[in-house]
Amino acid sequence: MSYNDIFKTAVDQLHAEKRYRVFADLQRIAGRFPRAIHRRGDEAREITVWCSNDYLGMGQNPVVVDAMCEAARGLGSGAGGTRNISGTNHPIVELERELADLHGKEAALVFTSGFVSNEASLSTIGLIVPDLLILSDEFNHASMIEGIRRSGCQKKIFRHSDLGHLEQLLADAGHDRAKLIAFESVYSMDGDIAPIAAICDLAEKYNAMTYIDEVHAVGMYGPRGGGICDREGLAHRLDVIEGTLAKAFGTLGGYIAASREIVDAVRSYAPGFIFTTALPPAVAAAAAASIRHLKASSAERELHQARATYTKQALVRAGLPVMDTPTHIVPVLVGDPELCKRASDYLLDAHGIYIQPINYPTVPRGTERLRITPTPLHSERDIDALVNALTQTWQHLGIEFSRAADDSERPGGSVPLVAHKAGG
């Protein structure tokens, strides 16, 4: 038996299914986002990135970069170990205060990533609460699924944002049993928003806790950037709000915000927190600076929404199969894994535009797509160039447009958004 052959066979299977992932070698250019240098062998050329989760470009904001550099010069590069062993560097203390304030909660707890914060928090809550039943939306992120699995709790999966199905599962469990509803605010692949208020109503009716993942919304929505719950005035109705520092805030890390009791319990019992080296002080200082800036400034959010709207409208006018979303995420349906990868490669090679293909298992088979994320730093000229490049790519590869439209109609004219919801 050859162990290497076993691993090679596993990877060959991904190649056969057109699911093998290739990572582009990119070098971001501070001060010129969304421009980057793409390296392939000895070749290096400038491209435009259209799929970054640095949604507001805060990763290059001078306020954030200066805070990081100042902290690194004053406190060094590393955290020195776990918070249990080495103590908590003061920038993390300040960061957790900012996060608790952002969400109107008593306390917050920072982890090394958004994946870890979900996995550690959900698994620990499940271990602490006796006989807990976790009700999980079927489209929840892999980190939530892993946390629920590791909790060892009984789980029930409800159809995506289906309130009737969720209520039936809650009713079946009975009022007295401990229950937790785990869901997201913005679902990152379809760009849709959960019915948060209605889920909170059901939680109160059936005596359930609520756990919401706001990673694709924090910084982006609400008067202070607290996410969809902030925008809709619902934060006080959620027991646990989980978020990330690595997307709109432009740094690294994940967190939860909740009551002092919940945060203290997770802090005290979660192996994913206790036994992991803390965030470096420079990262924590940069994250706190980003949060403070976005609490006070709405300019980035307003321009971002304008750019996202302009992008959607331009793509629709071109007859491209845009999935209708109420958020900043702009998915363009391809529906075939090989074509999706070929479209991504052609955009990069022929047009200098980078959009990573999204294939199974990230999305259901048959709903493969290009996931576009406009930012405030993409100009209208950039958007027009994107639309022209996509139109040429669709024509070159023979990918189906969303409607019959001759070339004279692209990119002029106006048609309603065409919805292509993912199944699964």
Side-chain angles (χ1 to χ4, degrees):
M1 177 178 63
S2 168
Y3 290 112
N4 280 339
D5 285 347
I6 294 172
F7 294 113
K8 183 178 183 301
T9 298
V11 173
D12 286 346
Q13 181 65 30
L14 295 177
H15 280 290
E17 296 176 1
K18 311 299 180 186
R19 294 197 292 120
Y20 182 74
R21 298 173 190 262
V22 177
F23 301 147
D25 182 351
L26 300 181
Q27 180 180 328
R28 287 167 34 122
I29 306 171
R32 295 193 58 212
F33 183 79
R35 311 292 179 240
I37 301 299
H38 176 234
R39 299 185 182 277
R40 182 186 291 156
D42 295 331
E43 179 189 3
R45 65 169 179 149
E46 185 174 305
I47 62 160
T48 302
V49 177
W50 274 99
C51 55
S52 173
N53 283 343
D54 187 359
Y55 291 133
L56 299 177
M58 294 300 291
Q60 65 160 21
N61 185 290
V63 171
V64 178
V65 175
D66 288 349
M68 176 173 281
C69 292
E70 182 179 351
R73 284 192 294 266
L75 301 173
S77 62
T82 68
R83 292 168 70 174
N84 182 53
I85 296 295
S86 300
T88 296
N89 64 74
H90 188 63
I92 286 187
V93 175
E94 295 179 322
L95 172 59
E96 288 176 341
R97 288 173 181 163
E98 290 289 347
L99 289 166
D101 174 75
L102 177 66
H103 295 292
K105 297 297 184 185
E106 293 177 335
L109 188 67
V110 170
F111 298 81
T112 50
S113 76
F115 190 104
V116 173
S117 59
N118 267 333
E119 186 277 329
S121 300
L122 283 166
S123 62
T124 301
I125 291 169
L127 289 168
I128 290 174
V129 179
D131 194 31
L132 180 66
L133 170 66
I134 299 181
L135 301 113
S136 175
D137 189 289
E138 68 172 329
F139 281 9
N140 277 345
H141 189 263
S143 57
M144 301 178 76
I145 294 168
E146 182 64 12
I148 293 166
R149 185 188 70 80
R150 289 179 60 84
S151 75
C153 292
Q154 183 185 9
K155 69 174 184 298
K156 297 286 186 181
I157 299 171
F158 61 93
R159 290 185 294 272
H160 179 52
S161 293
D162 187 329
L163 296 171
H165 189 209
L166 174 59
E167 181 164 19
Q168 184 60 59
L169 294 175
L170 288 164
D172 291 345
H175 186 272
D176 294 334
R177 183 174 183 183
K179 299 172 291 296
L180 182 145
I181 305 169
F183 64 109
E184 302 181 36
S185 61
V186 174
Y187 288 86
S188 64
M189 291 300 120
D190 282 8
D192 58 321
I193 297 174
I196 301 172
I199 290 175
C200 290
D201 290 342
L202 291 176
E204 292 167 7
K205 179 178 178 180
Y206 291 97
N207 189 33
M209 291 178 63
T210 48
Y211 182 108
I212 190 168
D213 176 318
E214 285 254 51
V215 298
H216 291 277
V218 290
M220 308 289 295
Y221 299 94
R224 300 198 309 154
I228 301 296
C229 290
D230 181 26
R231 186 185 75 178
E232 299 182 3
L234 296 170
H236 65 287
R237 300 185 67 188
L238 279 300
D239 291 295
V240 182
I241 297 175
E242 186 268 347
T244 186
L245 306 169
K247 293 181 171 61
F249 294 128
T251 57
L252 178 71
Y255 65 88
I256 59 168
S259 67
R260 288 190 185 90
E261 292 78 8
I262 292 174
V263 167
D264 198 21
V266 173
R267 181 192 69 86
S268 300
Y269 282 92
F273 172 80
I274 296 169
F275 299 106
T276 300
T277 298
L279 284 183
V283 173
S290 183
I291 294 165
R292 282 193 291 269
H293 176 85
L294 290 174
K295 282 179 180 177
S297 172
S298 293
E300 293 83 0
R301 286 187 287 276
E302 292 170 359
L303 182 55
H304 181 266
Q305 289 297 315
R307 291 291 188 261
T309 298
Y310 185 92
T311 302
K312 292 177 186 179
Q313 292 173 344
L315 291 169
V316 168
R317 286 196 299 268
L320 290 154
V322 183
M323 296 170 61
D324 191 8
T325 78
T327 64
H328 58 283
I329 295 166
V330 186
V332 180
L333 189 68
V334 177
D336 177 271
E338 185 172 8
L339 275 178
C340 200
K341 178 64 168 63
R342 288 174 62 193
S344 174
D345 291 344
Y346 186 79
L347 283 165
L348 185 59
D349 294 339
H351 297 283
I353 286 175
Y354 176 62
I355 309 174
Q356 180 70 2
I358 306 295
N359 291 335
Y360 177 85
T362 305
V363 295
R365 297 182 195 274
T367 70
E368 294 83 4
R369 66 199 66 176
L370 299 179
R371 177 181 176 272
I372 298 168
T373 53
T375 74
L377 301 177
H378 287 94
S379 67
E380 292 188 357
R381 185 174 180 177
D382 288 331
I383 296 168
D384 293 339
L386 169 70
V387 173
N388 288 331
L390 283 167
T391 300
Q392 292 178 27
T393 300
W394 253 239
Q395 292 168 339
H396 176 75
L397 297 176
I399 304 174
E400 184 177 354
F401 285 81
S402 64
R403 64 183 177 92
D406 60 39
D407 290 344
S408 64
E409 291 180 293
R410 301 190 180 106
S414 178
V415 296
L417 284 173
V418 178
H420 295 271
K421 296 302 292 179

